[in-house]
C-alpha cells in the first residue's frame, strides 16, 4: 500500500493532530477502496487493528484447539495409512495456528499474550470444537464438513485487506483442501463398506451437520461485526451468504457419498438459484459460546495442561535462540566458538 507508515505519522509538517489523523484515515480508506493491501507499518485505525486481532486470535486458537478432537483418534486409526494421514493433518493444524499467531504479531500483539487470553477464557475459539468425536467416522465428518465449512469461509479471507492475514490464508486454504478431501474419501469408504460402517458414517454426519452450519457465525441480522468488517474488506461476504454457499456445495456431495443431510427442509430454491435449509438452533450456538457445550471445559483444561507441560520446550527454544543470536562483540559471542567445535 502506498500509504503513510506509522513512522511517518510522527513527522507531519503542519496542521493539528486531528488534521493528520484525518489525512491518514483518508489514505487508509482510499487504499481499502482500491483493494490495496494494508501492511503492518501502514497507519490504520485502532478499531481496525483491534478487530483484526480479535478475529485472527480466534482463528489461531481454533486451529490449536481443533487438534484435540481429531488427535483423540490417532492411536485408534484403523490402519497405518489412516494413522499417517491423520497425524499429518493434526500437525498441519498446529502449523496453521503458528502462521496465524505470527500474522497477529505483526499487529503488535504477542503469541504469549493471545494464549494467556485464551487460557483465561477471554478470547474465543470456534464453537465447532466443543463437540465430541465419538466414532472413527467423526474424523471423516470433520474433514468433509468442518474443513469444508472452513474452506468456504476462508477462501475469501485470502483477499482480506490486511496483507499478513491474507497471505497466511493462501497456504492454509491449500492444506485445508487436502484435509477436506481426506475426510470425504474416508466417509466414502465407510459409506460403501458394511451396513454397520454405513450407519456409523450417517450417524457422524447427523451429529456434525448442524454445528458445521453454526461455524459461519450468527445470522446476518445478529452479527455484530459483519457490517464494519465487510466495509474494511476483512470479511468479503456475510455469514449467511457463506453458509448458503456451503449448503449448495454439500448437497450434491452427500448424494455421491450415499449419505443424507439431517434436514428435511433442504430444497432447491429456483428463484434464488440456491438451496433453502431448515432453522438452525441458535440457542444451542449461544450456549456453546457461553461455555456450556458438551466439551468446552474438557478442551480448555486440556489446552492449559498442554501449555504448562510444554513450558520446558519453550524455555529450551528460547535458550537456544539466545545462544545463536549472540554476535561478535556481545557477551554471548564467546559461546559461539565453543558451540562450533563441540
Ligand atoms: N464460534 O459478529 P460476528 C478451522 C462470535 S478453524 C465461536 O458474526 P465475525 C479448523 C464472534 O467472534 C475455524 N464464536 O463475528 C481448525 C463474535 O464474538 P466477539 C475457525 C463465534 O467475526 C482445525 C460474535 O460471535 N475459523 O477451520 O464478524 C481443524 C458475533 O459474531 C462463532 C475462523 O476463525 C463461532 N462459530 O464473524 C479443522 C475464520 N461465530 O468476538 C478446521 C475466521 C461467531 O464479539 N473468522 N462467533 O466476542 C471469521 O471468519 C469470523 O470471525 C466468523 C465470525 C465468521 C467466525
Amino acid at each position: 500500500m502506498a500509504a503513510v507508515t506509522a513512522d511517518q505519522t510522527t513527522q507531519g509538517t503542519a496542521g493539528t493532530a486531528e488534521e493528520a489523523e484525518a489525512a491518514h484515515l483518508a489514505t487508509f480508506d482510499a487504499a481499502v477502496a482500491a483493494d490495496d493491501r494494508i501492511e503492518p507499518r501502514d497507519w490504520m485505525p485502532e478499531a481496525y487493528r483491534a478487530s483484526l486481532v480479535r478475529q485472527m486470535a480466534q482463528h489461531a486458537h481454533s486451529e490449536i484447539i481443533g487438534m484435540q478432537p481429531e488427535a483423540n483418534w490417532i492411536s485408534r486409526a484403523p490402519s497405518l495409512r489412516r494413522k499417517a494421514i491423520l497425524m499429518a493433518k493434526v500437525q498441519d493444524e498446529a502449523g496453521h495456528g503458528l502462521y496465524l499467531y505470527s500474522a497477529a504479531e505483526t499487529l503488535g500483539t504477542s503469541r504469549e499474550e493471545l494464549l494467556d487470553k485464551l487460557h483465561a477464557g477471554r478470547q474465543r475459539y470456534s464453537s465447532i470444537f466443543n463437540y465430541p468425536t465419538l466414532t472413527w467416522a467423526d474424523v471423516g465428518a470433520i474433514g468433509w464438513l468442518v474443513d469444508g465449512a472452513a474452506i468456504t469461509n476462508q477462501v475469501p479471507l485470502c483477499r482480506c485487506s490486511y496483507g499478513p492475514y491474507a497471505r497466511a490464508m493462501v497456504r492454509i486454504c491449500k492444506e485445508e483442501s487436502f484435509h477436506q478431501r481426506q475426510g470425504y474419501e474416508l466417509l466414502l469408504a465407510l459409506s460403501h463398506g458394511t451396513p454397520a460402517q454405513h450407519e456409523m458414517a450417517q450417524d457422524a454426519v447427523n451429529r456434525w451437520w448442524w454445528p458445521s452450519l453454526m461455524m459461519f457465525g450468527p445470522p446476518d441480522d445478529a452479527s455484530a461485526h459483519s457490517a464494519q468488517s465487510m466495509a474494511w474488506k476483512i470479511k468479503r461476504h456475510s455469514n449467511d451468504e457463506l453458509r448458503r454457499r456451503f449448503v449448495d456445495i454439500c448437497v450434491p456431495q452427500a448424494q455421491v457419498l450415499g449419505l443424507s443431510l439431517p434436514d428435511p427442509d433442504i430444497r432447491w430454491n429456483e428463484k434464488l438459484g440456491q438451496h433453502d435449509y431448515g432453522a438452525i438452533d441458535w440457542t444451542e450456538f449461544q450456549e456453546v459460546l457461553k461455555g456450556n457445550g458438551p466439551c468446552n471445559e474438557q478442551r480448555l483444561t486440556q489446552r492449559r495442561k498442554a501449555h504448562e507441560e510444554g513450558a520446558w520446550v519453550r524455555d529450551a527454544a528460547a535458550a537456544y535462540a539466545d545462544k545463536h543470536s549472540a554476535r561478535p562483540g556481545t557477551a554471548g559471542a564467546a559461546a559461539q566458538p565453543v558451540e562450533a567445535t563441540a
Side-chain angles (χ1 to χ4, degrees), residues 54-55 58-59 62-63 66 70 89 93 124-127 129 146-147 150 153-154 157 165 176 214-218 223-226 229 235 239 285 289:
R54 178 189 62 79
Q55 176 168 329
Q58 172 173 325
H59 196 167
S62 304
E63 300 284 356
E70 294 182 280
K89 179 179 192 288
E93 310 298 2
R124 300 186 187 283
Y125 59 89
S126 180
S127 52
F129 300 117
V146 176
D147 289 292
N153 167 268
Q154 290 169 19
L157 292 175
Y165 191 25
E176 294 291 10
M214 295 175 196
M215 281 176 74
F216 293 91
S223 168
H225 304 291
S226 279
S229 268
K235 279 165 83 159
N239 298 354
F285 175 73
L289 258 60

Side-chain angles (χ1 to χ4, degrees), residues 91-286:
Q91 283 174 349
D92 282 354
E93 310 298 2
H96 295 174
L98 298 187
Y99 309 151
L100 289 164
Y101 287 124
S102 297
E105 279 178 344
T106 66
L107 291 160
T109 177
S110 69
R111 193 194 309 178
E112 200 176 18
E113 184 187 333
L114 298 184
L115 283 171
D116 284 348
K117 285 187 176 153
L118 169 67
H119 298 153
R122 286 167 53 213
Q123 280 181 341
R124 300 186 187 283
Y125 59 89
S126 180
S127 52
I128 192 74
F129 300 117
N130 293 306
Y131 292 85
T133 42
L134 303 179
T135 71
W136 170 250
D138 288 16
V139 173
I142 289 181
W144 178 42
L145 296 174
V146 176
D147 289 292
I151 296 168
T152 310
N153 167 268
Q154 290 169 19
V155 165
L157 292 175
C158 298
R159 293 188 294 117
C160 164
S161 57
Y162 187 57
Y165 191 25
R167 288 189 287 275
M169 291 317 303
V170 172
R171 179 156 173 188
I172 291 176
C173 285
K174 285 184 181 160
E175 292 178 354
E176 294 291 10
S177 299
F178 153 74
H179 297 170
Q180 194 269 354
R181 291 306 293 243
Q182 70 81 34
Y184 189 77
E185 193 262 342
L186 194 164
L187 280 185
L188 193 66
L190 285 179
S191 178
H192 294 92
T194 65
Q197 286 173 328
H198 178 88
E199 199 182 315
M200 186 165 66
Q202 184 62 60
D203 171 63
V205 169
N206 292 348
R207 283 181 291 106
W208 287 92
W209 174 250
W210 291 106
S212 298
L213 291 189
M214 295 175 196
M215 281 176 74
F216 293 91
D220 290 351
D221 56 11
S223 168
H225 304 291
S226 279
Q228 182 61 75
S229 268
M230 287 169 71
W232 278 329
K233 297 187 181 168
I234 295 174
K235 279 165 83 159
R236 295 282 179 159
H237 305 279
S238 78
N239 298 354
D240 286 332
E241 263 181 275
L242 292 173
R243 193 169 5 251
R244 200 183 274 270
R245 185 179 294 179
F246 176 65
V247 174
D248 287 340
I249 292 169
C250 289
V251 169
Q253 291 183 349
Q255 281 163 2
V256 176
L257 284 173
L259 297 170
S260 57
L261 297 173
D263 178 358
D265 295 325
I266 289 186
R267 60 180 58 87
W268 182 247
N269 181 325
E270 201 66 57
K271 219 166 102 199
L272 285 181
Q274 290 200 287
H275 290 88
D276 288 332
Y277 53 90
I280 294 174
D281 182 353
W282 291 114
T283 309
E284 175 180 322
F285 175 73
Q286 291 303 340

